[in-house]
Amino acid sequence: MNIIQSLKGLFVKRSPKKKLLGVALGSGGAKGMAHLGALKAFEEENITFNCFAGTSIGSIVGGLCAHGYTTDELKEVVLNICLKQYVRYLRPYMDMTFIEDVLNEYLKDATFSSLSLPFYAWATDKQSMQGVLLQSGKVARACTASSAVPPYFHSVDIDGKELIDGAYTNSIPADVLRERGADFILGIDLNAGVRNENDRYARNVITRILSDTLDSTVKITTAKDATERGYRACDVMLQPSLAIYTPLDGGRLSLEEMYEIGYITAREQMSFVKEKLREVLHRA
């Protein structure tokens, strides 16, 4: 480099580095509809997130968002599929292929490298019970692995590992985004709050029985910091009030209600989120 180039470099104004604004989407089955409601509120405020990480249903929402779908489009997808139809036919250790096929219809066989935005999915190795970060290969397969909760679904094989639901080791994978340089991270915890035992009997009886079966049969140990690590890494954590719902509340009315709760939660926290974002955007 000659002296003229060196001097020129001193006076050329460099473009500021684009800030990475991430969303960590937590596990929760059908309660993931609240993710869409919350993200819709941010869309209305022109707040654009440009990297995603998710566990279980959070991985499915995150993968589809990273592919380029809007929340309105995703809401229609879920309501048209109507999760209640899947709940009806649940049986122990179902193969995840049918879910992978449905996801591939919308993801168009996307790989992580072909997505419009960075995305990471989190799963758990069934044998070692260690967390597994998924960031390469087919997105639909990674999302099904991240969502394979026993005893309903069989584990999903990826690179010779039997993978199950990521919630056992990292239910809100905000730390993944932090480690990859995210400047701001919004987390959404679908499981905050305690379920009221009186409220639960107001829900659909079949859904309640299935959820109780899950609670009583799954003996896999959840890591002590499976939730806390997400809280530690987030700048803001949204906690939609979903305690009266279960991961299997897939009826249209319940889905609409959970979407609205997610939307309202985000609107209530919007000023706080904007304040935190301003701090990040003005940081050198």
Side-chain angles (χ1 to χ4, degrees):
M1 180 182 293
N2 60 38
I3 190 168
I4 295 177
Q5 290 175 316
S6 299
L7 290 172
K8 185 178 179 181
L10 294 174
F11 296 101
V12 173
K13 186 176 181 179
R14 292 183 175 86
S15 299
K17 181 183 175 184
K18 185 177 181 180
K19 299 291 186 180
L20 276 178
L21 309 182
V23 180
L25 300 162
S27 61
K31 292 190 283 186
M33 200 67 175
H35 284 324
L36 299 182
L39 292 174
K40 173 63 176 178
F42 293 111
E43 279 184 6
E44 291 178 347
E45 295 293 320
N46 295 314
I47 295 174
T48 303
F49 297 98
N50 49 22
C51 56
F52 297 84
T55 293
S56 200
I57 188 62
S59 73
I60 294 174
V61 173
L64 289 165
C65 286
H67 190 60
Y69 285 99
T70 67
T71 53
D72 285 342
E73 291 170 336
L74 291 181
K75 181 182 180 184
E76 287 308 307
V77 167
V78 175
L79 293 179
N80 288 335
I81 291 173
C82 194
L83 294 178
K84 192 173 183 179
Q85 301 305 314
Y86 291 109
V87 171
R88 227 176 248 173
Y89 298 106
L90 279 177
R91 62 185 184 276
Y93 296 104
M94 291 179 65
D95 189 274
M96 293 289 283
T97 303
F98 80 99
I99 295 180
E100 186 175 350
D101 290 343
V102 170
L103 286 174
N104 263 325
E105 287 181 29
Y106 296 97
L107 287 166
K108 311 300 181 186
D109 286 321
T111 62
F112 281 82
S113 60
S114 71
L115 291 172
S116 301
L117 296 169
F119 165 65
Y120 310 94
W122 191 270
T124 300
D125 186 318
K126 183 181 177 181
Q127 301 303 318
S128 68
M129 286 309 294
Q130 297 297 309
V132 177
L133 175 64
L134 300 173
Q135 55 184 332
S136 63
K138 291 291 184 68
V139 176
R141 189 157 188 82
C143 290
T144 54
S146 178
S147 308
V149 57
Y152 298 131
F153 299 112
H154 196 278
S155 59
V156 175
D157 183 277
I158 294 182
D159 296 332
K161 293 181 179 179
E162 291 184 65
L163 302 183
I164 58 174
D165 198 289
Y168 294 111
T169 48
N170 193 351
S171 61
I172 314 164
D175 54 323
V176 172
L177 296 175
R178 187 67 71 193
E179 289 166 2
R180 276 146 189 80
D183 299 287
F184 173 89
I185 303 171
L186 172 81
I188 305 179
D189 183 359
L190 301 178
N191 298 300
V194 178
R195 184 171 63 181
N196 186 313
E197 290 301 307
N198 294 321
D199 286 339
R200 70 200 293 247
Y201 289 97
R203 313 310 303 173
N204 179 279
V205 65
I206 295 176
T207 298
R208 176 169 53 80
I209 291 170
L210 286 169
S211 294
D212 287 347
T213 300
L214 175 62
D215 292 341
S216 63
T217 59
V218 176
K219 302 300 182 184
I220 298 173
T221 302
T222 300
K224 290 181 180 180
D225 66 343
T227 299
E228 287 75 9
R229 61 194 293 181
Y231 274 78
R232 289 195 297 267
C234 279
D235 294 283
V236 178
M237 181 70 78
L238 299 186
Q239 299 176 316
S241 182
L242 302 168
I244 68 169
Y245 301 94
T246 78
L248 299 177
D249 276 320
R252 190 180 184 93
L253 178 59
S254 293
L255 292 172
E256 292 274 16
E257 290 172 349
M258 290 185 280
Y259 178 91
E260 188 66 17
I261 290 170
Y263 178 83
I264 291 171
T265 301
R267 296 248 42 119
E268 289 174 343
Q269 295 296 313
M270 193 63 68
S271 295
F272 180 63
V273 172
K274 286 183 175 180
E275 179 184 337
K276 290 290 185 181
L277 274 172
R278 279 193 294 269
E279 292 176 7
V280 169
L281 295 175
H282 288 91
R283 194 181 300 156

